[in-house]
Amino acid sequence: MAASPKTAISDLISKLIAQYGCGPIKFSGTDEAFYERHLLFDNVVDANDVTLRERYEAVARSVRDVLSQRWIRTEQTYERENPKRIYYLSIEFLLGRSLANNITNLMLDPIAAQLIKDKNVDWLGLLEQEPDPGLGNGGLGRLAACFLDSMATMQLPATGYGLRYEYGMFKQSIKDGWQEERPDHWLRREDPWQIMRPQESVEVKVNCSFEITGGSLRAEVGKPARLFGIPRDLPIVGYSGRTINSLRLWAAGAPDYFDFQEFSHGDFVGALAEKLAAETLTRVLYPDDSTSLGQGLRFVQEYFLVACSLADIIRRFRRSNTDWSTLPDKVAIQLNDTHPTMAVPELMRILLDEAKLGWDEAWDLTRKTLTYTNHTLLPEALERWPIQWFEMLIPRHLEIIFEINRRLLDDVRNRFPGDEGRLARVSLIEESPTKHVRMANLAIVGSHSTNGVAAIHSELLRTITVKDLAEMFPERFNNKTNGVTPRRWLLLANPTLARAISDAIGEGWITDLSQLSKLKPLADDKSFRDNFRAATRATKARFANWLKSKTGETVDPDTIFDCQIKRIHEYKRQLLNALRIVVLYNRVRENPNLEMTPRTFLFSGKAAPAYHLAKLIIKFINNLASTIDNDPTMRGQLKVLFIPEYDVTLAEHLIPASDVSNQISTAGYEASGTSNMKFMMNGALTIGTRDGATIEMAQEAGEKNFFLFGLTAQQVADSRGWYNPHWHYEHEPETRAALDLIFSDHFSRHEPGIFEPLRDTLLTHGDYYMHLADLTSYLDADRRLVELYANSEEWARKAILNVAGSGKFSSDRTIAQYAGEIWNAKPCPVG
Ligand code: 26Q
């Protein structure tokens, strides 16, 4: 007899509970009443008359019910076993939505499917109710989120620490082709995933107070203040739901009793203003991903993250351990870029002033506990903070930094007598024009491991960027090539392909991505190729529908989807991609009978609000798109679309639907890239330069299955002295015609001259990122790519070989290497 829906759900829940071993989850109603109970008791609404948002909240809370006991048990296990714990400190976590991810990782899909069916829920509409928490700019923040997923899946005792920005990454809209920014008030409605833990608040003492004047935050020097960090925890569900770790996000506040004290003196309003000023600290994420513009508030945010997190870590350490000397056996703190580098002086301060240890022991423990990851070589992104700010906010830390530096420079003098240049380069303090602390130097000196995020990047870091320090401490330098979680980026984002893969090789790949290599022989199997092609075609059609419903834009799934999605930056060279399209456009204009494979060029990405040239590049892409749209000869041949508001959710839709992935940074400038890996595991072919992790991807898949072009990092460096973009303009007819067309205002008929700054950057100012040097070889690679597309069997074969070769780029592999080679941490399974 067929089970009634009710029994089916009860059965599944019982199985789940048995699997998690938490004992029965107790409800007053029937088992299946999870969802209805929440609608009734949380929202107090009639189940027949609810909004989609209320449905979302009820489903999210039901899922949270399922994970709560396991979440508590995870922490209990860590308390009991007292393993070495990993703490991942990051100023950004770009999580993306949680509901579907948690359902997948808890393996609740059958229950969700049943619920959708029984209650006739508009599932896609419901998922859209969850805001995409944009607590990060791009790669670095998303990497932190992938790492949390891997650490939980691998049952590592890990906690993420970040800031709970009230406003995340700005929302982007496009008006007349220009980027416009709107605030992202993602917390307008209560977030069902965050658990506030006021009892675990920490106090942070600083040497100045804050006030808001004229809309900006000002420091009042010499008036010490106490801030409070109020934590909220988010569950990080490992795949299979065995381990549920936490991401702890700090919000800034003033102590609750402040008003009473001040009130008794009569200044209620002044006291309240102080509280609001304190809360301003975590109000907004800085939307710059590659410039250290020297914002005072950012400096305070960085210290606040460090002070709250270290206080929490040390408090937890002291609960189970009495001997300070065991700190590095119990605690590994990974600094995600230099943003949390104040952990070096802060940990020293705790060990010296609170634990009362001597300098040598404190220094030894600090270095053995901390490790640092570098994510960029761009000089403008290397953080340097004015020592005045340290003096004002945290003078004790500055004292400690000076003492670290004094000892460091003594060491340099001993080892390299008379080498004044080295002394100046290694110093933690940059002397001119005004004194600044070099945060990367501090992180390297104050930790026992410094890693880059792809082989070429680690090599350039070691041999060029911080050469002198690498010569002093060679054993500290290592590489950890980035990875991405296959749960979110393949299983969840591309269910059709995931099913085809699992049908062919089983499900082992979900937690051991190297098993994708089993697909290699299937590249020669006609029926698998057919399945693969059908999966891609279905995903493209699904994307086209989604895009239509979200933006009203139409794209044709029978054209090549050629994508570049990432932050807009000169070094990433969206402008090179646009030049390629202008050349193709010119070819059709000149020869309207040209047989061209129909293509759709998709762009998406945000520009830092103060980065004018990046914003002009967005404008140019949009004008290019509309000019082509309005040209009847282009119809059915070329289409360009800039999709606004790039976020994790958009990436989850677009990447699986892509045929071509553009990874075209000037060689030597993209530290790693991570979207490149997501495209590869979803079966797109890469057209790209030999930069970042793309080099390793091509090695894994075989260079013949890649479309590599352009100067190498070495060639870029070697030609800096003599490179002349005018040469390309003079000698390459297609390059010249493309530029002339742009400068003739063909794409700016009603806005003459607006693209002049593009001429300046590409010609007048010397084309620093060498667009023109790479344009012809890009076009050549593009020609080969389009030729291949005409042979759909060969295309599918190469795409399958790419998926088969993508196993290395799981963040599980990256995390296994961090755990084994840097942290010396082991899994701590939850019983
Ligand atoms: C610093 C100071 C003040 C304000 C902002 C910042 C800031 C914020 C974010 C500086 C840098 C970032 C982010 C950098 C980033 O995302 N880097 C990317 O990291 C990825 C993960 O390792 C790599 O794959 C990318 O290549 C790298 O660009």
Side-chain angles (χ1 to χ4, degrees):
M1 200 181 81
S4 74
K6 214 170 223 172
T7 338
I9 292 178
S10 304
D11 281 357
L12 281 164
I13 290 176
S14 320
K15 270 193 211 140
L16 208 78
I17 290 166
Q19 174 196 331
Y20 293 169
C22 283
I25 299 172
K26 292 200 175 58
F27 290 114
S28 50
T30 58
D31 285 348
E32 70 123 15
F34 274 93
Y35 166 73
E36 255 114 21
R37 280 184 79 258
H38 284 293
L39 280 179
L40 177 62
F41 295 120
D42 300 349
N43 293 73
V44 195
V45 283
D46 177 346
N48 299 312
D49 184 23
V50 287
T51 64
L52 257 185
R53 168 71 200 193
E54 285 161 336
R55 282 189 200 277
Y56 156 71
E57 285 178 17
V59 175
R61 291 218 166 86
S62 308
V63 172
R64 207 178 79 185
D65 291 343
V66 174
L67 65 80
S68 309
Q69 287 177 316
R70 196 72 196 169
W71 195 5
I72 292 172
R73 183 173 288 205
T74 302
E75 187 48 41
Q76 284 171 340
T77 305
Y78 297 163
E79 285 277 323
R80 191 180 62 242
E81 302 290 324
N82 193 19
K84 180 168 186 179
R85 296 204 196 211
I86 302 154
Y87 296 106
Y88 199 82
L89 266 61
S90 180
I91 202 101
E92 304 190 357
F93 285 91
L94 200 44
L95 294 174
R97 289 176 174 159
S98 289
L99 179 57
N101 189 253
N102 287 347
I103 288 175
T104 296
N105 281 11
L106 288 164
M107 299 174 144
L108 288 175
D109 295 275
I111 293 182
Q114 192 77 55
L115 182 85
I116 296 163
K117 209 169 127 208
D118 290 353
K119 308 286 172 204
N120 201 13
V121 178
D122 164 13
W123 187 244
L124 293 180
L126 184 145
L127 293 178
E128 289 288 324
Q129 298 302 309
E130 179 172 3
D132 186 328
L135 307 186
N137 274 281
L140 168 146
R142 183 54 233 175
L143 183 77
C146 283
F147 280 5
L148 293 182
D149 180 277
S150 285
M151 291 189 289
T153 298
M154 298 163 80
Q155 309 193 42
L156 287 164
T159 304
Y161 279 110
L163 294 180
R164 180 186 185 261
Y165 304 106
E166 213 174 306
Y167 292 85
M169 190 60 198
F170 66 82
K171 295 274 178 196
Q172 179 195 54
S173 44
I174 301 295
K175 182 142 180 262
D176 300 328
W178 296 101
Q179 166 175 301
E180 287 190 341
E181 301 97 24
R182 283 175 290 114
D184 165 38
H185 196 194
W186 72 291
L187 290 171
R188 194 176 5 241
R189 321 238 352 205
E190 199 185 318
D191 177 5
W193 303 111
Q194 291 181 40
I195 312 293
M196 194 188 195
R197 310 254 186 231
Q199 70 284 7
E200 296 187 51
S201 295
V202 300
E203 192 187 76
V204 176
K205 292 198 181 95
V206 290
N207 210 37
C208 60
S209 303
F210 301 98
E211 58 174 13
I212 305 176
T213 41
S216 61
L217 193 73
R218 286 170 52 100
E220 279 183 82
V221 187
K223 191 178 157 203
R226 288 141 43 100
L227 297 167
F228 271 74
I230 303 139
R232 294 196 179 50
D233 290 346
L234 279 91
I236 304 296
V237 181
Y239 187 70
S240 83
R242 276 187 277 270
T243 290
I244 301 180
N245 285 333
S246 301
L247 168 59
R248 177 157 280 195
L249 299 178
W250 300 103
D256 264 348
Y257 50 81
F258 80 100
D259 45 357
F260 295 108
Q261 286 176 348
E262 298 281 340
F263 194 43
S264 60
H265 296 101
D267 189 10
F268 176 73
V269 172
L272 191 60
E274 210 168 287
K275 178 176 158 66
L276 293 178
E279 287 169 357
T280 299
L281 279 190
T282 47
R283 197 86 72 199
V284 55
L285 166 79
Y286 275 89
D288 311 276
D289 73 337
S290 52
T291 43
S292 172
L293 282 178
Q295 313 270 11
L297 181 58
R298 166 77 180 202
F299 178 77
V300 189
Q301 282 184 343
E302 292 188 356
Y303 178 62
F304 182 73
L305 166 66
V306 161
C308 293
S309 309
L310 283 194
D312 204 35
I313 292 167
I314 295 297
R315 179 170 59 189
R316 190 175 298 117
F317 169 74
R318 297 292 284 168
R319 265 208 306 266
S320 319
N321 307 278
T322 47
D323 187 351
W324 284 101
S325 71
T326 61
L327 186 69
D329 306 324
K330 295 295 173 190
V331 174
I333 301 176
Q334 186 70 40
L335 309 178
N336 197 24
D337 215 300
T338 52
H339 317 145
T341 296
M342 285 182 235
V344 175
E346 175 70 2
L347 186 52
M348 281 299 283
R349 186 194 62 77
I350 293 170
L351 296 175
L352 293 169
D353 301 354
E354 292 178 13
K356 311 282 182 206
L357 303 184
W359 181 277
D360 289 338
E361 194 184 359
W363 183 238
D364 187 51
L365 295 179
T366 297
R367 285 215 316 96
K368 285 184 172 150
T369 303
L370 300 178
T371 51
Y372 156 61
T373 304
N374 174 285
H375 295 266
T376 182
L377 304 173
L378 292 182
E380 67 266 32
L382 291 178
E383 289 193 295
R384 297 176 169 88
W385 293 116
I387 68 160
Q388 276 177 357
W389 294 1
F390 284 88
E391 261 159 13
M392 204 173 2
L393 190 80
I394 41 175
R396 174 65 178 138
H397 296 72
L398 185 61
E399 215 169 74
I400 292 170
I401 291 170
F402 281 152
E403 180 58 15
I404 297 171
N405 200 36
R406 190 187 66 76
R407 290 166 181 251
L408 171 72
L409 297 184
D410 275 353
D411 189 16
V412 180
R413 284 190 198 97
N414 272 334
R415 288 167 63 178
F416 307 91
D419 192 345
E420 291 300 314
R422 179 182 297 265
L423 213 57
R425 291 190 299 270
V426 163
S427 176
L428 304 186
I429 311 295
E430 194 169 86
E431 299 289 336
S432 65
T434 52
K435 285 195 179 186
H436 284 70
V437 178
R438 293 172 173 150
M439 302 309 274
N441 292 27
L442 180 58
I444 294 166
V445 172
S447 66
H448 67 90
S449 166
T450 293
N451 74 283
V453 287
I456 182 180
H457 166 68
S458 298
E459 200 53 23
L460 294 172
L461 181 69
R462 194 173 63 78
T463 56
I464 297 172
T465 317
V466 291
K467 183 163 179 281
D468 302 285
L469 285 167
E471 279 169 13
M472 284 187 75
F473 311 114
E475 71 293 345
R476 293 185 197 176
F477 284 77
N478 64 94
N479 174 56
K480 296 287 167 282
T481 299
N482 283 167
V484 303
T485 168
R487 270 73 64 184
R488 183 178 288 267
W489 295 108
L490 184 47
L491 183 61
L492 184 63
N494 198 344
T496 320
L497 180 60
R499 174 69 19 233
I501 294 172
S502 295
D503 286 348
I505 63 168
E507 291 189 341
W509 62 270
I510 298 171
T511 49
D512 173 11
L513 204 67
S514 68
Q515 291 190 25
L516 287 183
S517 65
K518 292 186 198 160
L519 292 173
K520 235 180 208 163
L522 296 175
D524 295 318
D525 176 332
K526 167 94 174 91
S527 77
F528 186 72
R529 283 201 303 267
D530 288 344
N531 289 345
F532 186 90
R533 259 204 310 268
T536 306
R537 179 62 179 71
T539 305
K540 286 173 80 174
R542 215 179 40 233
F543 170 73
N545 290 335
W546 176 83
L547 186 73
K548 180 91 194 155
S549 71
K550 285 289 279 190
T551 67
E553 296 284 352
T554 306
V555 288
D556 177 358
D558 289 318
T559 62
I560 303 179
F561 284 1
D562 180 301
C563 304
Q564 190 178 13
I565 49 171
K566 47 186 79 246
R567 286 301 286 255
I568 313 294
H569 201 291
E570 286 162 272
Y571 86 78
K572 294 178 189 276
R573 297 200 296 192
Q574 280 89 358
L575 197 49
L576 176 61
N577 191 349
L579 287 174
R580 170 183 64 146
I581 298 167
V582 174
V583 170
L584 300 178
Y585 169 69
N586 254 339
R587 286 181 190 165
V588 187
R589 269 163 41 96
E590 273 169 22
N591 180 3
N593 298 323
L594 193 73
E595 282 280 319
M596 200 173 246
T597 312
R599 305 177 77 172
T600 304
F601 296 96
L602 296 157
F603 291 84
S604 198
K606 294 177 185 177
Y611 191 170
H612 299 293
L613 195 73
K615 292 174 112 170
L616 187 65
I617 292 170
I618 293 178
K619 168 70 173 165
F620 180 65
I621 294 167
N622 280 308
N623 279 25
L624 179 62
S626 57
T627 307
I628 291 179
D629 262 352
N630 293 329
D631 185 336
T633 51
M634 300 298 146
R635 202 133 310 145
Q637 305 229 50
L638 293 184
K639 180 170 177 71
V640 179
L641 190 61
F642 184 95
I643 310 173
E645 184 45 22
Y646 182 45
D647 61 5
V648 172
T649 301
L650 173 54
E652 286 170 8
H653 282 97
L654 190 138
I655 292 172
S658 299
D659 299 300
V660 179
S661 155
N662 281 269
Q663 305 298 336
I664 59 175
S665 50
T666 314
Y669 286 86
E670 188 68 271
S672 160
T674 41
S675 76
N676 46 0
M677 303 166 182
K678 297 164 195 167
F679 278 108
M680 183 189 192
M681 62 181 66
N682 279 280
L685 296 190
T686 304
I687 181 165
T689 47
R690 291 172 178 82
D691 201 14
T694 303
I695 298 176
E696 292 160 71
M697 287 162 40
Q699 273 162 10
E700 293 295 307
E703 285 215 3
K704 57 184 182 306
N705 299 311
F706 261 62
F707 294 90
L708 295 179
F709 70 89
L711 300 178
T712 62
Q714 189 65 52
Q715 290 167 329
V716 168
D718 291 346
S719 55
R720 275 263 166 255
W722 52 260
Y723 171 64
N724 177 8
H726 291 278
W727 187 92
H728 296 276
Y729 180 76
E730 305 294 342
H731 292 87
E732 295 164 2
E734 288 200 308
T735 302
R736 184 186 192 119
L739 292 175
D740 284 347
L741 195 64
I742 298 169
F743 306 144
S744 73
D745 280 321
H746 182 82
F747 303 105
S748 42
R749 292 222 170 99
H750 307 293
E751 305 148 293
I754 55 164
F755 297 129
E756 270 308 296
L758 300 184
R759 183 208 298 272
D760 292 341
T761 187
L762 291 173
L763 289 171
T764 321
H765 300 152
D767 187 18
Y768 186 80
Y769 290 105
M770 302 193 179
H771 298 79
L772 301 194
D774 280 349
L775 181 56
T776 38
S777 62
Y778 187 22
L779 287 162
D780 189 51
D782 187 76
R783 182 185 46 74
R784 287 184 274 129
L785 185 135
V786 174
E787 276 169 20
L788 181 74
Y789 195 78
N791 182 345
S792 67
E793 293 291 344
E794 260 306 287
W795 183 279
R797 206 180 69 80
K798 281 194 167 24
I800 293 165
L801 289 175
N802 266 269
V803 178
S806 71
K808 172 175 169 185
F809 304 101
S810 166
S811 44
D812 299 346
R813 186 268 313 149
T814 315
I815 285 300
Q817 292 178 330
Y818 275 90
E821 298 162 23
I822 300 181
W823 302 328
N824 189 24
K826 312 231 155 16
C828 180
V830 179

